[in-house]
Amino acid sequence: MNFANINHLWGTLIIEELSRLGADYFCVASGSRSSPLVIALSQNRRVKSFVHFDERGLAFHAMGYSAAAKKPAVLICTSGTAAANFFPAVIEASKKKLPLIVITADRPPELRQTGAVQTIDQVGLFGKYVQWAADMPCPDTKINPQFVLTTIDQAWYQAVRNHGVVHINCMFRQPLSLVKTSEDLKTYIKPLNRWNQSQKPYTDYVTGFESVAIPPRKMIAERLKAIKNGLIVIGKLANADEANLVLRLAEKLGWPVFPDVSSGLRLGQSHPNLIHYFDHLLLSDKILNKLSFDGVLHLGGRMTSQRYYDFIQKQSPSEYIMVLDHSLRNDPNHQVSLRIEASVTHFIQTVIGLIKPRKSSAALKVLSRANKNADRSIETFLAEDERLSEPRVARLVSQLIPEAQGLFLSNSMPIRDMCNYADFKGKVVSVNGNRGASGIDGLIASAAGYARGLNKPVTLMIGDLAALHDLNSLSMLHDLPVPLITVLLNNGGGGIFSFLPIAEFKEGFEKFWGTPHPYTLAAAASMFEVNYSQPICPKHFKKVYIQALKAQTSTIIEVITNRQENLKIHRLLGNI
């Protein structure tokens, strides 16, 4: 191996070790100070790289990739505010427990706090939102090269073991390019002969992902047995096998299941224990009066439905058992009585053999009948309505999206409409969204990264303000190897606020919360060379969506709606 200088050598060690550990997708925002890393990346033929001019969008793209590929993407940027632009995605990845490797280039210590150009305090920049961080010294032949490799190995281990973000801040002095220097680098690198002659990482970690012992299984089984009228609540699950295990457990317990849209059980599943329209049913006093739960088993991440949390808080069950594969609290109502840190798969496999089969509960019978009636009523109402409403779009997408493709749901109304009005008789698809911090930012970029990680077509459902916030990321679609179909619901502002009590504040509501605007994305689609359609009725939407699926090219399908009409349709649906 020939190196021009010590910066080039360290950059090569960092990229090569990440590659050996399993990193194969590097997301780069161009800059000068990060050149030693990017030169090494360009010289490594085993890895893929993605370049984008907007660090904020790039970071969300990397996070979307990690969510789909289930391993870290690597982010690289130069010094200064470039690093700060990663922060929103770092927060989201941290809250979603996604592995991500963030490498920021930095100025050397003698330039810190001197007023030097493009120099900020990058040490601890991301605060508590990273699992682990290292401030790498400037490359120096006085520092053993093994230090570089073991630092990278530890960073990878922390990201993968703890499902989180790690930050490596790399200081570089000049030269940043391939300028030849006089260091004896051949002698310097001799301690790495063993590593250099292999293709393995320098340090091997034995990782026990189920090493945290759950409480004694007999105790858990007894506490489940003591629940007379139980409810199973399902948040984000790991995969289809885990979803099937949940259904097996539900059959044994005879309890109803409330599946969040992100769970993998809301779409394409018709199991009799699943109450697909639970959020819709919780609007009915007639149904609520028949329900009384003394225990909840909550498996996986948090629920999208605020109506569920309001309902269960009023129910005040004596037992609330939660299973999550990390140690952080997920208990907004402060009701959890038993918190088990384990994967849902490990938990069910541990206790299911100790549970005796039960008859279907009275609540399951009530909810199952109501669920079937809701399905018929929603389908009839929407099919008879000539308008291309936002609930109708959600239902059409759930009916038309092909099996095993991806569905990425934006925050605010798109994810709620899909949860409430999706047809469960459609196909099984991979569902994701940015529900960690539930922000408006980076959603196009995240969906593009998710498509790249899945390596399958993805449909993104997004609102107009979120799309306008992330217009730069439309440039990612040009070279995306799989299509991203963006279903844009444009109601000319912040539609979700019309559903909130603040809508009664007439003096300032429209200006400060409604945030009206006159824009469509037709010109932006043209600028970024993305196909564009604006359907005017349900039949037209179905036609253009199917055409986009068949064309296998990224497309924006913009649906123009009216906020007041949208509110009216939702209220009518709530009364059926």
Side-chain angles (χ1 to χ4, degrees):
M1 302 174 74
N2 295 315
F3 304 101
N5 52 59
I6 188 66
N7 288 343
H8 181 210
L9 192 155
W10 274 37
T12 300
L13 294 181
I14 289 169
I15 300 301
E16 174 63 22
E17 189 70 347
L18 284 167
S19 172
R20 294 187 185 194
L21 287 161
D24 61 0
Y25 196 58
F26 290 73
C27 299
V28 180
S30 299
S32 176
R33 192 59 51 167
S34 56
S35 294
L37 296 165
V38 180
I39 289 170
L41 179 62
S42 68
Q43 292 175 335
N44 192 311
R45 297 180 179 180
R46 294 197 307 275
V47 299
K48 296 175 291 186
S49 60
F50 176 77
V51 181
H52 186 56
F53 49 81
D54 176 359
E55 291 92 358
R56 182 189 56 82
L58 181 77
F60 276 105
H61 179 89
M63 188 200 67
Y65 178 89
S66 294
K70 303 190 185 304
K71 63 178 179 179
V74 181
L75 271 168
I76 298 175
C77 74
T78 190
S79 63
T81 56
N85 281 320
F86 284 169
F87 208 167
V90 166
I91 293 171
E92 180 66 24
S94 171
K95 292 182 74 66
K96 288 180 70 176
K97 304 295 291 181
L98 289 173
L100 197 63
I101 308 287
V102 177
I103 305 180
T104 55
D106 199 357
R107 259 55 180 179
E110 62 268 21
L111 293 182
R112 293 177 176 178
Q113 299 181 342
T114 65
V117 67
Q118 207 169 319
T119 305
I120 66 172
D121 185 359
Q122 297 177 198
V123 179
L125 178 64
F126 304 120
K128 64 182 180 180
Y129 294 103
V130 296
Q131 288 285 346
W132 185 84
D135 190 28
M136 293 279 279
C138 292
D140 194 318
T141 55
K142 294 183 177 66
I143 301 173
N144 292 335
Q146 300 96 309
F147 159 78
V148 180
L149 301 180
T150 61
T151 300
I152 298 302
D153 293 338
Q154 172 66 188
W156 182 268
Y157 177 74
Q158 290 287 343
V160 173
R161 175 65 182 89
N162 295 313
H163 308 289
V165 184
V166 301
H167 176 208
I168 307 170
N169 192 56
C170 293
M171 292 183 280
F172 290 108
R173 293 189 176 97
Q174 296 284 355
L176 302 174
S177 62
L178 294 177
V179 173
K180 291 279 187 180
T181 57
S182 59
E183 298 114 324
D184 182 4
L185 299 179
K186 289 185 178 179
T187 301
Y188 173 72
I189 204 172
K190 277 186 178 180
L192 299 183
N193 281 343
R194 172 182 63 84
W195 175 84
N196 200 25
Q197 292 169 7
S198 76
Q199 295 296 317
K200 296 181 179 180
Y202 188 83
T203 305
D204 288 322
Y205 283 90
V206 177
T207 308
F209 286 93
E210 300 297 349
S211 60
V212 180
I214 66 173
R217 60 180 190 157
K218 288 186 178 179
M219 179 272 285
I220 297 171
E222 287 299 318
R223 291 179 73 158
L224 288 171
K225 182 180 178 181
I227 297 172
K228 303 302 181 185
N229 301 299
L231 170 67
I232 300 176
V233 177
I234 310 297
K236 180 73 174 176
L237 297 176
N239 49 49
D241 290 338
E242 193 160 89
N244 290 331
L245 274 175
V246 168
L247 295 178
R248 282 180 53 200
L249 180 63
E251 287 175 4
K252 267 203 160 185
L253 291 170
W255 296 351
V257 177
F258 286 5
D260 188 77
V261 70
S262 68
S263 66
L265 288 170
R266 173 63 180 88
L267 305 179
Q269 298 277 2
S270 57
H271 193 278
N273 289 64
L274 290 171
I275 311 302
H276 307 88
Y277 300 99
F278 71 90
D279 191 70
H280 178 78
L281 298 179
L282 293 179
L283 286 168
S284 169
D285 289 335
K286 182 179 179 181
I287 293 172
L288 291 177
N289 291 334
K290 297 179 181 179
L291 300 179
S292 178
F293 295 111
D294 64 329
V296 175
L297 176 60
H298 189 145
L299 304 175
R302 79 180 309 276
M303 302 292 283
T304 299
S305 169
Q306 182 59 43
R307 196 172 293 129
Y308 160 74
Y309 285 106
D310 294 342
F311 162 73
I312 208 65
Q313 189 169 37
K314 290 178 181 178
Q315 289 279 302
S316 189
S318 56
E319 186 82 279
Y320 198 118
I321 301 171
M322 173 168 278
V323 181
L324 275 171
D325 63 353
H326 59 74
S327 61
L328 299 178
R329 181 169 58 174
N330 192 340
D331 184 18
N333 286 349
H334 306 286
Q335 289 181 295
V336 173
S337 55
L338 176 60
R339 174 66 161 80
I340 300 169
E341 183 181 347
S343 71
V344 172
T345 295
H346 186 57
F347 167 77
I348 294 176
Q349 290 174 340
T350 299
V351 302
I352 195 167
L354 298 178
I355 296 173
K356 294 181 179 179
R358 300 188 188 185
K359 294 180 180 179
S360 296
S361 68
L364 175 56
K365 294 174 182 177
V366 169
L367 288 167
S368 182
R369 285 194 297 270
N371 191 63
K372 292 176 183 177
N373 291 336
D375 182 57
R376 286 193 294 267
S377 298
I378 290 170
E379 177 63 27
T380 299
F381 178 93
L382 293 176
E384 292 177 350
D385 193 336
E386 295 296 325
R387 294 166 291 187
L388 186 54
S389 65
E390 295 180 24
R392 184 71 187 277
V393 170
R395 193 160 180 91
L396 283 170
V397 169
S398 71
Q399 292 169 335
L400 298 172
I401 188 169
E403 188 168 7
Q405 290 196 8
L407 176 62
F408 202 95
L409 300 172
S410 178
N411 295 313
S412 295
M413 293 308 296
I415 192 168
R416 289 170 172 82
D417 281 343
M418 189 61 71
C419 189
N420 279 323
Y421 306 119
D423 189 342
F424 67 88
K425 299 180 292 298
K427 301 294 190 297
V428 176
V429 295
S430 299
V431 182
N432 211 284
N434 289 355
R435 296 298 293 173
S438 300
I440 195 174
D441 43 357
L443 287 153
I444 295 173
S446 298
Y450 190 66
R452 188 70 183 257
L454 276 183
N455 199 30
K456 294 177 181 177
V458 168
T459 296
L460 164 66
M461 286 188 63
I462 188 171
D464 48 295
L465 295 184
L468 290 170
H469 197 282
D470 201 24
L471 276 184
N472 280 350
S473 296
L474 288 175
S475 66
M476 297 180 181
L477 308 189
H478 191 265
D479 296 318
L480 200 64
V482 291
L484 178 69
I485 300 174
T486 301
V487 177
L488 170 62
L489 301 164
N490 188 345
N491 54 40
I496 193 171
F497 294 106
S498 299
F499 294 80
L500 303 180
I502 194 64
E504 299 302 317
F505 179 57
K506 301 301 182 184
E507 292 89 343
F509 174 76
E510 188 65 8
K511 177 180 178 180
F512 293 104
W513 287 270
T515 54
H517 66 84
Y519 308 114
T520 72
L521 259 66
S526 175
M527 174 182 174
F528 289 107
E529 299 180 331
V530 181
N531 289 348
Y532 177 87
S533 293
Q534 193 182 112
I536 58 175
C537 66
K539 186 177 180 180
H540 190 194
F541 177 88
K542 183 175 181 180
K543 178 181 178 181
V544 299
Y545 183 67
I546 291 174
Q547 285 176 342
L549 289 170
K550 290 180 178 178
Q552 290 287 297
T553 54
S554 292
T555 303
I556 296 172
I557 302 174
E558 185 164 23
V559 178
I560 306 298
T561 64
N562 177 278
R563 273 185 280 135
Q564 290 305 312
E565 187 178 79
N566 183 49
L567 176 64
K568 181 180 178 181
I569 290 170
H570 278 81
R571 286 178 172 171
L572 289 171
L573 279 164
N575 292 326
I576 63 175

